[in-house]
Amino acid sequence: MLLARRDMFKLGAFGAAAVMLPLERTLGASSSGSNRIKSSRLPGPFTVPFAIPSILRPYRQDETSGTDYYRVYMQPTTAEIIPGLRTPLWGYNGEVPGPTVKVRQGRKVVMRQVNILPARHPVLGYTPWTSVHLHGSPSLPQYDGYASDVTNPGQYKDYRYPNTQTARTLWYHDHGVHHTAENVLMGLAAQYHSTDPNEAALPIPHGRFDVPLIVSDAMFNSDGSLLFDNHSESGMYGDVILVNGRPWPVMKVSRRKYRFRILNASISRSYNWSLDSGEPLTVIGTDGGLMPHPQPVTSFRHGMAERYEVVIDFAKYPVGRRVTLTNASPPNNIGYDNTDKVMAFDVVGDDVDPADNVVPDVLMPDNPVMLLRPQEAVRTRKFDLVRQHGKWTINGTSWADIAASGFTRVEADPRDGDVEIWTIRNDSGGWFHPTHVHLIDFRILDRNGAPAMPHEQGPKDVVYVGEKETVRILARFEGRGRYMIHCHNLVHEDHDMMTQFEVLPPVGSQVRGESPLDEPCTALPEAEL
Ligand code: C2O
Ligand code: CU
Ligand code: CU
C-alpha cells in the first residue's frame, strides 16, 4: 500500500494529492491547498522596497588564535510578507533570511548555534531538530551539519569553520534529517562571505555595491501562515517570489556596476534569469568563488543551492529607467501568475562612486580546481539519480540505508589526495536534480558530452543535472571522513535522495577521519532556556 501510494504522484499533482490525503503521515490538512490565500490578496510585484540582511558581528575575537566567536539563536519570529498579515517564521537570531557572516581567509570561526525553537512545529507537529551546514566550507565531519547529527530544541552545538578556502559566497542553512525542506522554508538560511587578498585587490564592486540576493519562493494560507505542500514528496513551490525575504522588491541603483551574490535558496524551484532590457549579466563567480574569466550571458539557468556572482552595469540606462530581473522558468517547475518576475532596479541620478567599477578579463587564473586535468584522475565513479520503489535514490541508495548501516555504509571511498571523475546521470525527463557534493570544490568536465555552459565555467559544489542529462565532474578529494552527497531539491533530499562518501587516509596512513557523529550537541543550562 505504501509503495502504491508513493507511486501515485505519477498521476499528476492534483490526482495524487486528492487520493493520498487520508493516508498522509506528516503533513496536515493544510497540505491540500484548500486554505490557500486568494491571489488577489498577494502583494503586487515591485511594490516593496529592497532590503539586505544584517551583518552578524562576533561577540569575541581572539587574536592569539585568530578566531572569531559568534552566537546564533534559532528562534521563532514573524514577518509581514502579505500586507496586513503576519507570517510565523523561524530565523537565525530571529531574522529571515539570517544575518550575513563576513570573514577573511585564514581567520577561524566558532559559531554557537542555539536551538530555542518550540518543541513542535506549529502546523506540522514535528520536533524541529536542526543541524547547521556551512555550504561551501571544507569543515571537519563533526562540524559539517551532517543530517543525522541533530540538535533538539533546548540544545546547542559549537561549529568550527577553518575558512582556509579562497574567497567565495557560502551559505549556512538547516540540514536536519527529514525536515530540511520545512526548516529552510520557515527561514533557516543565510549567506556567509569569505574574502582573500586576490578578491580584495580586484577592481570589481565591493562594499555597498556588493549585494546579496537570496531568492526563494513561498505559498501562503489565508491567515498568512506558510502553506506546506510537497506534492507527494516531489517538490514545494510558491506563488510568491522573495528576494532577501521581501516579495518582488524594488532596488534603487546608481549608474554604475553592481555585483550581486545570487543564491537560489528555494526548496525546489530553479530559475532562468535575464534582464528585460536584453543586456547581459556578467557572471564573475560560481559556488567556489571567482571564475578564471568573466562570462557575459544574456540568460542562465540557476538550480537550488548554486551561487552565482553577477555584475550588472546600470550605467547603460538613463536615470528613471526601471530594469527588471525576470525568470524564464526551466522545465519541471510549477509556475504561477508572477513567478516569471523576480525584482526590479530603478536607476536613480545620484553621484556615481567611481571606485571598483571594472570587471577585469582575468579574475582568478590559478584556482587549483580549475587547473585539474582529467588525466590526473585515478578512477571514475558513476552516480545514477533514480526514483526506485517510490523513493528518490542515488545508485539505489537512500539515507535510510545509510542510517540502517549505523552510518558506516559509503557510496564512494576516494583516498585523501585522489583526483576522481564522477559521472552523474539523470535518465528521467520528468525531474531535474541539482546535485551537491559536500567537502570539495569540483569543476564540470562536460554535460552530455558538450562543454559546461558558460556561466558554470568556474569552481562548483552543486551541479544542475537536468532532464536526461549526464554530467561529468572532476575533483581532488582532500580531507578525511564521511560526507553527504545529495539532491538539493530539499524535498528529494528529505525523502531520501542522499547518501555519503568517505575520504580514506592515503596509502601508508591508517588515520581515518573523525565520525560526523563524534561531537554531539549540549543541553542548554536551565538559565538560558
Ligand atoms: Cu546546501 Cu548538504 O547542503
Ligand atoms: Cu554543502
Ligand atoms: Cu532531486
Side-chain angles (χ1 to χ4, degrees):
M1 190 60 219
L2 200 61
L3 288 183
R5 181 186 72 79
R6 285 172 173 279
D7 282 333
M8 274 182 214
F9 78 97
K10 288 175 184 154
L11 299 172
F14 288 126
V19 174
M20 58 170 280
L21 196 61
L23 289 167
E24 184 53 74
R25 296 156 303 155
T26 51
L27 297 180
S30 66
S31 68
S32 67
S34 56
N35 197 23
R36 185 177 155 200
I37 198 167
K38 287 201 209 65
S39 44
S40 59
R41 286 224 48 194
L42 296 178
F46 319 138
T47 55
V48 171
F50 176 77
I52 63 169
S54 70
I55 308 287
L56 191 67
R57 304 286 171 201
Y59 70 89
R60 185 159 82 85
Q61 297 191 287
D62 180 57
E63 293 316 323
T64 333
S65 63
T67 309
D68 296 339
Y69 291 85
Y70 294 91
R71 196 184 285 118
V72 174
Y73 291 89
M74 297 176 264
Q75 63 187 74
T77 184
T78 64
E80 185 177 344
I81 299 168
I82 311 293
L85 294 173
R86 302 298 304 186
T87 300
L89 298 170
W90 292 343
Y92 292 114
N93 282 350
E95 295 174 33
V96 178
T100 306
V101 174
K102 294 201 180 240
V103 68
R104 271 183 291 123
Q105 186 183 34
R107 189 98 199 157
K108 299 195 223 21
V109 162
V110 178
M111 200 183 228
R112 172 162 300 184
Q113 286 283 357
V114 189
N115 184 341
I116 51 169
L117 294 169
R120 304 242 165 262
H121 185 279
V123 179
L124 304 172
Y126 69 88
T127 300
W129 55 67
T130 58
S131 180
V132 183
H133 173 50
L134 178 57
H135 184 142
S137 167
S139 310
L140 289 172
Q142 63 272 38
Y143 306 123
D144 195 45
Y146 196 68
S148 300
D149 175 28
V150 297
T151 301
N152 278 294
Q155 298 178 322
Y156 69 86
K157 174 157 178 157
D158 291 334
Y159 290 89
R160 298 177 172 273
Y161 302 131
N163 301 309
T164 44
Q165 73 274 43
T166 48
R168 64 188 59 193
T169 303
L170 307 91
W171 63 304
Y172 58 103
H173 65 80
D174 190 62
H175 218 305
V177 65
H178 298 319
H179 292 297
T180 298
E182 292 85 6
N183 290 351
V184 171
L185 191 70
M186 286 296 286
L188 293 174
Q191 286 199 1
Y192 182 115
H193 303 165
S194 72
T195 184
D196 64 16
N198 173 61
E199 188 275 338
L202 286 172
I204 54 177
H206 286 107
R208 65 191 177 99
F209 305 108
D210 173 0
V211 180
L213 298 185
I214 302 175
V215 183
S216 60
D217 60 318
M219 190 172 271
F220 299 85
N221 292 309
S222 51
D223 64 357
S225 62
L226 291 172
L227 190 157
F228 298 89
D229 182 354
N230 71 13
H231 295 270
S232 310
E233 301 181 354
S234 64
M236 287 207 252
Y237 302 90
D239 49 2
V240 174
I241 304 291
L242 302 164
V243 181
N244 297 342
R246 304 216 168 182
W248 301 283
V250 190
M251 179 185 181
K252 289 189 175 18
V253 292
S254 27
R255 300 186 62 245
R256 56 156 288 149
K257 292 187 175 68
Y258 284 71
R259 166 187 183 185
F260 296 100
R261 299 179 187 247
I262 314 179
L263 159 67
N264 177 356
S266 280
I267 308 305
S268 305
R269 183 181 296 287
S270 66
Y271 299 83
N272 195 323
W273 317 115
S274 48
L275 296 173
D276 67 341
S277 62
E279 291 287 344
L281 302 146
T282 302
V283 185
I284 63 167
T286 49
D287 311 329
L290 292 167
M291 304 168 93
H293 308 282
Q295 301 288 337
V297 293
T298 48
S299 67
F300 71 95
R301 174 171 91 166
H302 191 156
M304 295 79 81
E306 290 182 293
R307 287 88 69 211
Y308 290 102
E309 295 189 25
V310 167
V311 172
I312 300 178
D313 190 0
F314 296 106
K316 292 180 171 155
Y317 309 106
V319 170
R321 173 71 188 269
R322 169 168 287 182
V323 182
T324 304
L325 180 65
T326 63
N327 167 34
S329 179
N332 293 308
N333 288 286
I334 301 179
Y336 297 94
D337 282 356
N338 286 315
T339 47
D340 58 347
K341 303 169 189 68
V342 184
M343 67 177 290
F345 305 98
D346 280 351
V347 181
V348 298
D350 56 2
D351 286 348
V352 172
D353 183 341
D356 288 348
N357 198 19
V358 177
V359 177
D361 291 336
V362 176
L363 296 164
M364 180 151 192
D366 53 1
N367 189 330
V369 71
M370 298 309 294
L371 297 176
L372 283 179
R373 289 167 306 118
Q375 295 82 339
E376 294 173 74
V378 295
R379 63 185 76 76
T380 296
R381 302 184 196 264
K382 288 190 167 41
F383 296 84
D384 283 334
L385 309 172
V386 284
R387 192 158 174 99
Q388 211 170 70
H389 309 303
K391 275 251 173 210
W392 299 107
T393 76
I394 299 177
N395 284 346
T397 304
S398 69
W399 198 249
D401 301 314
I402 304 298
S405 73
F407 302 99
T408 57
R409 174 174 173 165
V410 295
E411 204 61 36
D413 54 355
R415 288 182 182 278
D416 189 355
D418 283 356
V419 176
E420 298 196 346
I421 294 172
W422 286 12
T423 303
I424 310 174
R425 188 172 63 154
N426 172 16
D427 250 350
S428 153
W431 309 103
F432 63 91
H433 302 289
T435 305
H436 174 41
V437 184
H438 280 231
L439 178 69
I440 56 158
D441 291 347
F442 55 76
R443 85 176 173 89
I444 301 173
L445 275 181
D446 46 44
R447 173 179 277 110
N448 292 344
M453 296 175 187
H455 70 278
E456 1 171 72
Q457 294 184 10
K460 296 281 296 159
D461 59 35
V462 182
V463 63
Y464 200 119
V465 187
E467 297 77 5
K468 301 268 179 205
E469 289 185 355
T470 298
V471 181
R472 291 196 314 151
I473 62 172
L474 179 67
R476 185 186 300 279
F477 289 80
E478 286 175 302
R480 230 42 90 76
R482 281 171 271 150
Y483 290 92
M484 298 173 285
I485 315 165
H486 61 88
C487 175
H488 226 292
N489 177 330
L490 297 179
V491 174
H492 295 186
E493 175 194 322
D494 282 339
H495 302 284
D496 234 9
M497 201 171 213
M498 181 158 73
T499 182
Q500 65 179 353
F501 64 100
E502 177 169 5
V503 185
L504 296 173
V507 183
S509 164
Q510 302 300 328
V511 189
R512 302 272 290 263
E514 284 171 87
S515 159
L517 296 164
D518 263 1
E519 193 176 303
C521 55
T522 313
L524 274 178
E526 206 64 48
E528 290 211 31
L529 282 171

